[in-house]
Amino acid sequence: MSDKILLAGVIGAPIAHSKSPLLHGYWLNRYGIAGHYIPLHVEQMDLEEVLRMMPKMGFVGANVTIPHKETVLGLADIVTDRAALIGAANTLIFRSDGKLHADNTDGFGFVENLRCNADWLPEAGPAAVLGAGGASRAVIASLLEVGVPEIRLSNRTRARADALKDEFGAKISVVEWVHAGDMLKGARTVVNTTSLGMHGQPELKISFDHLEADAVVTDLVYTPLRTGFLMRAAEKGCQTVDGLGMLLYQAAPGFERWFGKRPEVDDATRQFILSA
């Protein structure tokens, strides 16, 4: 047994808002692991130098958030296929051979959240995805990986949606934002990847006239936990899944790699984060 105190953290700018230190701290305490998970405010210009120094300070890995998720791909020695496909990394491992390993667990967290919290069959029909930012990339890549036959994509700025279609291929079709409600017809999975509906943001206002009751509807926003988007979907009879689970599930693989224990994502974990 090593007498080292293992260190990990989350790197971003800003970072004070992150719930990751609470979550990982909860798991470290729960499993009696001698380690710490620390929020690290690092500016873009300092990122490379900080990453070089962290292993010497006892860090075994880190999460990465805005604005560094794309930049770290160019600094890593090893990039997983899914991180390369998404074009961003959120999980770094400082390997014992000195190499920096970059992965992306956002898509895993998204899929696991749906699988564990809904009666969800990804192959049952098309998915409708709202938004074409970084989160959307992870969602699209993971939906294609688990066998969704078609993805309908809409974004306020059409060019960003077109760029994702060009990148991800023929299974993506782009719908103008003003007609976003039309793509809900026959959709079995509906995903909001935009920040609309978050505290301090306008509501996401699209027509639910074509939304069918057998759709599984999820929102990546988790503040508030029950967004207007999810409440409207529930009124239509849909299964709804909030965004907090994605945060919890995406964290588990990194924790396991750094601290040697696969943490359980359960109701106690959810309640701790919600009450913190």
Side-chain angles (χ1 to χ4, degrees):
M1 185 77 180
S2 171
D3 59 355
K4 273 189 173 181
I5 294 176
L6 301 172
L7 301 179
V10 57
I11 302 169
I15 203 58
H17 66 284
S18 175
K19 292 189 184 296
S20 292
L22 282 171
L23 174 59
H24 288 274
Y26 169 79
W27 281 334
L28 286 166
N29 183 60
R30 179 173 175 172
Y31 298 114
I33 295 169
H36 296 282
Y37 183 99
I38 303 157
L40 300 163
H41 184 117
V42 178
E43 298 295 343
Q44 195 84 300
M45 68 187 81
D46 299 320
L47 180 63
E48 185 173 1
E49 185 181 1
V50 167
L51 290 176
R52 277 204 307 267
M53 288 302 300
M54 286 175 72
K56 299 174 185 176
M57 297 163 66
F59 281 86
V60 290
N63 286 124
V64 188
T65 188
I66 295 169
H68 304 314
K69 294 175 84 165
E70 292 82 21
T71 310
V72 292
L73 289 185
L75 301 174
D77 301 295
I78 300 159
V79 176
T80 64
D81 289 345
R82 60 186 175 181
L85 183 64
I86 293 166
N90 73 333
T91 303
L92 303 178
I93 297 144
F94 301 122
R95 292 175 21 145
S96 56
D97 62 5
K99 290 193 162 131
L100 175 59
H101 179 279
D103 194 9
N104 193 308
T105 64
D106 284 332
F108 166 82
F110 168 75
V111 165
E112 202 69 4
N113 189 32
L114 288 179
R115 282 184 168 151
C116 293
N117 293 296
D119 182 16
W120 182 57
L121 295 170
E123 67 279 6
V129 177
L130 298 152
S136 180
R137 296 177 66 91
V139 165
I140 289 169
S142 63
L143 288 174
L144 291 174
E145 186 180 359
V146 295
V148 170
E150 175 198 347
I151 296 175
R152 303 161 182 174
L153 178 64
S154 191
N155 190 59
R156 284 172 286 182
T157 308
R158 163 115 194 194
R160 294 190 74 173
D162 286 335
L164 288 186
K165 175 179 170 53
D166 289 345
E167 199 163 332
F168 284 101
K171 288 188 177 178
I172 315 294
S173 58
V174 175
V175 177
E176 291 286 353
W177 186 253
V178 291
H179 301 304
D182 295 347
M183 68 182 187
L184 304 184
K185 187 173 180 60
R188 293 293 173 267
T189 309
V190 180
V191 189
N192 174 37
T193 75
T194 77
S195 61
L196 293 171
M198 188 185 291
H199 282 316
Q201 294 283 338
E203 282 296 329
L204 172 54
K205 293 178 179 173
I206 68 162
S207 169
F208 272 11
D209 289 348
H210 296 301
L211 180 63
E212 298 175 19
D214 58 357
V216 173
V217 180
T218 188
D219 198 327
L220 270 51
V221 170
Y222 57 86
T223 52
L225 199 61
R226 299 293 294 168
T227 60
F229 180 74
L230 290 182
M231 287 191 282
R232 288 173 61 209
E235 286 166 7
K236 296 278 285 188
C238 299
Q239 294 183 76
T240 61
V241 180
D242 66 59
L244 180 60
M246 178 175 170
L247 174 79
L248 304 180
Y249 285 109
Q250 65 79 30
F255 187 92
E256 182 178 20
R257 292 292 293 270
W258 305 324
F259 300 116
K261 171 73 178 177
R262 184 69 169 201
E264 191 177 352
V265 177
D266 56 9
D267 195 54
T269 311
R270 275 181 66 89
Q271 291 310 314
F272 175 82
I273 295 300
L274 288 172
S275 64

